[in-house]
Amino acid sequence: MKRIKMGCTTLSIPAMALGIMRMNQKSVPEAQVAIQAAYDAGINFIDSADIYGGGKSEEIFGQAFSQMQIKREEMFIQSKTGIVPGKRYDFSKEHILHSVDEILERMQLDYLDSLVLHRPDALMDPEEVAEAFDQLQAAGKVRFFGVSNFDTAQFKLLQSCLSQRLMFNQLQFSLKHTGMIDFGMHMNMVDKPSVDRDSQFLDYARLHKVTVQAWSPFQYGMFEGTFIDNDGFPKLNQELQKLADKYEVGKNAIAAAWILRHPANIQMLVGAMNPQHIRDSAKGAKIRLTRQEWYDLYLAAGNYLP
């Protein structure tokens, strides 16, 4: 598995992480098979969130992982907090501290390697978040911190009040969600792709050594479904298959290789629970697409160059 530097540190993390959003749909033995498949492929990074399956995903993970032979220190385990489903976003100190305690209990852990704030809270008080982070770190409950779906100004605002460096920003990125790179190639144009919806965060991340974590790497829309083997995207699947045949892997591996080919050292979050899909996706970390292959996939996905 390809390894990348975590944020501004010298620590090494895998270029892929296993997202456990759908683990609530699995039995404990099935969850163990998925975790083991990821670990055997070099994916020793887990990404979760307190809202996944209403907390059930973390419960299943905790039960499964506690019975496995993998040592805790061999895994990097991350979770997210800040969304109260259907009610509000909540970055209050009280909510953050309480959520972490619940996460640790569900996952049967003594600490999280990383805590990520989920979607931006309009009522965020950066100083209050800083107090929560300091308390969590001092108590040994969280080692590192990050955010998810933050624009550049929101990221800078929070960072200005923290004593810790923010290591991550989770952003949606895939062959069918390319806004982070479209506007740069459509600079000085007036067409739809020229609109910057991500406040140039990918460039900011490269300048300030922030690890971008790409979520929904095989999805189109937000959660409409996968574009892999989807009849609605024939040209893209034809190009994926062509390259899959060349590199002797599956389409998931090629779609993953496309994301990892970007020089920003993006970490991709694999949300699959199917061991075969996990193993195939992991193969993408060993493939370095040519520049033309990368652009061929970009164009086959329905994008165009000015």
Side-chain angles (χ1 to χ4, degrees):
M1 170 58 59
K2 174 184 176 183
R3 308 284 295 186
I4 60 175
K5 294 290 178 61
M6 184 182 75
C8 61
T9 73
T10 58
L11 297 177
S12 165
I13 56 175
M16 292 187 188
L18 179 68
I20 64 168
M21 183 173 71
R22 299 176 180 85
M23 192 164 277
N24 65 303
Q25 302 168 14
K26 300 298 180 180
S27 66
V28 170
E30 289 172 332
Q32 289 177 323
V33 171
I35 296 168
Q36 192 68 52
Y39 182 78
D40 291 344
I43 302 174
N44 64 333
F45 192 118
I46 301 294
D47 174 70
S48 182
D50 54 5
I51 64 167
Y52 289 169
K56 187 68 175 179
S57 292
E58 294 188 333
E59 289 180 8
I60 296 295
F61 174 85
Q63 294 171 34
F65 186 65
S66 66
Q67 300 172 28
M68 298 179 72
Q69 299 303 309
I70 304 173
K71 295 179 180 179
R72 170 64 183 92
E73 58 269 24
E74 294 178 341
M75 296 291 280
F76 191 107
I77 301 177
Q78 168 177 284
S79 190
K80 299 183 289 293
T81 190
I83 298 179
V84 181
K87 295 184 179 180
R88 65 185 185 277
Y89 296 153
D90 194 339
F91 288 176
S92 67
K93 178 181 177 181
E94 179 183 15
H95 181 77
I96 292 171
L97 296 177
H98 180 67
S99 294
V100 169
D101 285 340
E102 290 190 328
I103 290 168
L104 293 175
E105 182 177 356
R106 285 193 296 268
M107 300 185 85
Q108 300 186 34
L109 301 172
D110 294 324
Y111 68 94
L112 288 173
D113 291 286
S114 175
L115 177 70
V116 168
L117 298 181
H118 226 147
R119 289 195 167 271
D121 175 12
L123 301 180
M124 177 181 74
D125 180 343
E127 289 84 1
E128 187 175 359
V129 174
E131 290 178 9
F133 283 8
D134 286 346
Q135 188 168 324
L136 289 168
Q137 193 171 60
K141 294 180 180 180
V142 181
R143 297 175 64 204
F144 302 103
F145 300 89
V147 295
S148 179
N149 305 299
F150 270 46
D151 68 21
T152 304
Q154 292 165 337
F155 191 96
K156 288 179 177 179
L157 174 62
L158 179 57
Q159 183 63 83
S160 70
C161 295
L162 299 178
S163 56
Q164 306 86 1
R165 284 284 296 268
L166 291 169
M167 296 293 159
F168 308 105
N169 191 4
Q170 286 192 14
L171 300 166
Q172 188 175 6
F173 186 55
S174 75
L175 274 163
K176 290 301 297 178
H177 195 97
T178 56
M180 281 199 298
I181 58 175
D182 292 340
F183 80 94
M185 290 185 283
H186 288 256
M187 170 65 182
N188 203 35
M189 306 293 290
V190 294
D191 52 3
K192 187 177 179 180
S194 68
V195 178
D196 176 14
R197 295 179 173 84
D198 301 282
S199 66
Q200 301 181 41
F201 191 86
L202 194 58
D203 292 332
Y204 176 87
R206 296 176 72 180
L207 285 169
H208 296 276
K209 299 187 184 306
V210 179
T211 298
V212 170
Q213 297 177 318
W215 58 271
S216 287
F218 309 128
Q219 301 285 314
Y220 67 96
M222 190 168 181
F223 293 115
E224 274 99 67
T226 179
F227 56 79
I228 304 288
D229 293 327
N230 188 320
D231 293 339
F233 309 102
K235 189 172 181 181
L236 175 55
N237 276 280
Q238 181 180 0
E239 193 64 32
L240 286 168
Q241 189 61 60
K242 172 185 169 183
L243 292 172
D245 292 341
K246 173 184 174 180
Y247 289 101
E248 299 181 336
V249 295
K251 292 179 182 177
N252 286 56
I254 299 302
W258 184 85
I259 293 173
L260 300 184
R261 178 65 174 81
H262 195 280
N265 282 325
I266 294 170
Q267 184 186 47
M268 194 189 87
L269 307 181
V270 182
M273 290 289 99
N274 183 315
Q276 182 179 348
H277 289 169
I278 294 171
R279 286 189 287 266
D280 183 54
S281 298
K283 293 176 182 176
K286 299 179 181 180
I287 297 170
R288 182 174 173 82
L289 298 172
T290 68
R291 298 177 75 90
Q292 192 58 59
E293 288 168 346
W294 189 91
Y295 274 99
D296 287 345
L297 284 165
Y298 178 76
L299 296 171
N303 300 298
Y304 64 93
L305 300 176

